[in-house]
Amino acid sequence: MSVTSNLTISGSLFELTTDMELFYYGILVFVFSIFNAPILALIITTLEMKNAQSPNMAFRLMNIINVCLLGQGLGHLLTFPCLIFPNLLKTFETVVRIIGGIMNTLWICDLSMVTLLGVSRVLIFSNTISIRKSDRIIRFLLILLLSWIFILLIYSILFRNMMMYPPQWAYDFDVPFCDLFDTLEISLSFPCILISFLSYLTIAYLIFVSKNLKSSVASRRNEIAILFQSALVTAYISVMIFVWHPALFTMFQFIDMNDQTNQAILNFMWIVHCYVNPCMLLVFNKSIRGDCVRLLRTGKIDQPPRAAATSIVTLS
C-alpha cells in the first residue's frame, strides 16, 4: 500500500478519534501490549542466567529472537495512542515512522533467527555440531544475517519507509528504494519459512525414525515437546506472512485488505506474534518454565546437575 504524508493538524493534540472502531482497537492494543515486556524480560533474564551457567548456542539465538519480540511489542505499546488520538500521529509522524521502521526490521530479524535456530537444532540433534559452542557455519550465518539487519535498520531510520495508516502499518512506496526492500523482504520470508519447516521435519525424522539417535524416555519426551513448540511458532509466522501478502496467494484473495476491520485483525496478529514464541517456550519447556518461577521467587535459578545438563540444554 502506498501511503503519502499529507497529514494536517487540527484541534487539540489529545482530541479523541471520531472512529469508535479505531478507539476500541487502540484500547485493545494497549491491553495486549502492556504485558509483553515483563514476560519477555523474565524469559530473557532466565536464558542469560542459564547460558552463564552452561554456555549454549541455542540460548543465544533464542534470546536474539526474544529481544526482537520485545522491541516489536514495545513499538506497538508506544504507538497505540496514535490510534486513539490521531493528532499525535500527525504531530509526531517522523518519530512514529522511525518506530515503525525499527519494528519491521526486528520482525525480519526475528524471522531469520527462527530459521537459523531451526537449522542449528537439526545440526545439534544429528550430533553434527556441539551444543556447548557456536559452530563456525552458524557463526558465519549469524554474522551475515545480522549485517543485513543492520543495513536494513539504518535504511529504515534514515528513510523512514514504514507508515502507520491506522489501524495498520504499511510501506510508504513514495520513499526511495522502498520497492526494492519490500521485494527483498518477500524474497527472504518465503525461503525462511521453507527452511524452517524442512528443519523441523528433519528433527521429526531424527526423533521417530533414526536408529542412531539414542536418548532416554524423558529426553525423547522433551525433544517432542520442543518440536511441537517450534512447529507451532513457525506455522503461526507462516499464516501471518501468507495473509499479509494476499495478492501472491489466490487462496487468501477472499480477504479484503482494504477493509478496516481486516486490517486491524492482521495488525493484531502481529501483536499476538510477540507472545506466541515466549508462551510456547514456557508451555513446552519444563526446565525454562521452572527456572522462570524460581527466578521470580528467589531471584536466581538452580544450577542443573552436570549429568542432566546435556539433555536440558540440547532441547531448550
Side-chain angles (χ1 to χ4, degrees), residues 125 214-225 311 314-315:
F125 271 71
K214 305 295 183 182
S215 59
S216 65
V217 174
S219 176
R220 186 174 293 270
R221 189 183 301 116
N222 288 337
E223 292 165 359
I224 295 173
S311 174
T314 301
L315 306 170

Side-chain angles (χ1 to χ4, degrees), residues 78-233:
L78 290 173
T79 56
F80 90 89
C82 297
L83 298 168
I84 301 174
F85 307 108
N87 284 339
L88 287 176
L89 176 58
K90 300 171 186 177
T91 305
F92 301 104
E93 180 188 350
T94 299
V95 176
V96 172
R97 281 176 175 266
I98 291 174
I99 293 175
I102 294 173
M103 289 167 60
N104 188 61
T105 302
L106 292 175
W107 152 256
I108 296 173
C109 182
D110 166 20
L111 175 61
S112 58
M113 290 302 118
V114 167
T115 303
L116 185 59
L117 180 60
V119 172
S120 67
R121 277 174 169 159
V122 170
L123 297 177
I124 291 172
F125 271 71
S126 60
N127 296 319
T128 303
I129 64 175
S130 170
I131 61 175
R132 299 293 183 184
K133 59 181 180 180
S134 299
D135 182 76
R136 284 180 296 179
I137 296 177
I138 299 299
R139 284 203 304 269
F140 171 76
L141 292 175
L142 179 60
I143 293 172
L144 188 65
L145 288 172
L146 290 180
S147 298
W148 162 244
I149 294 302
F150 179 74
I151 294 172
L152 182 59
L153 179 63
I154 296 301
Y155 167 79
S156 299
I157 293 175
L158 292 180
F159 288 89
R160 301 180 292 278
N161 63 323
M162 286 296 291
M163 172 73 172
M164 175 181 261
Y165 191 66
Q168 69 170 355
W169 291 91
Y171 278 121
D172 181 356
F173 289 107
D174 292 333
V175 172
F177 310 112
C178 191
D179 289 285
L180 172 62
F181 280 88
D182 178 48
T183 302
L184 290 174
E185 178 184 343
I186 295 174
S187 301
L188 176 69
S189 298
F190 295 109
C192 282
I193 292 174
L194 179 60
I195 294 171
S196 295
F197 273 116
L198 290 176
S199 297
Y200 294 117
L201 285 175
T202 304
I203 293 174
Y205 170 80
L206 292 173
I207 293 175
F208 295 108
V209 179
S210 178
K211 302 298 183 181
N212 297 324
L213 186 63
K214 305 295 183 182
S215 59
S216 65
V217 174
S219 176
R220 186 174 293 270
R221 189 183 301 116
N222 288 337
E223 292 165 359
I224 295 173
I226 294 302
L227 176 63
F228 274 111
Q229 168 208 328
S230 305
L232 288 173
V233 171

Side-chain angles (χ1 to χ4, degrees), residues 21-22 25 28-29 76 166-168 236 239-240 243-244 255-257 259-273:
E21 184 178 357
L22 276 182
Y25 177 67
L28 187 66
V29 170
H76 287 296
Q168 69 170 355
Y236 186 86
V239 171
M240 281 185 60
V243 176
W244 215 301
I255 302 176
D256 181 11
M257 292 312 300
D259 180 75
Q260 181 172 276
T261 301
N262 290 339
Q263 293 173 358
I265 292 173
L266 181 57
N267 195 68
F268 187 70
M269 288 180 66
W270 188 2
I271 299 171
V272 173
H273 164 67

Side-chain angles (χ1 to χ4, degrees), residues 278-295:
C279 288
M280 293 298 100
L281 187 64
L282 293 176
V283 168
F284 287 103
N285 196 302
K286 184 178 180 181
S287 171
I288 293 177
R289 183 173 66 248
D291 284 334
C292 286
V293 173
R294 281 188 289 272
L295 181 61

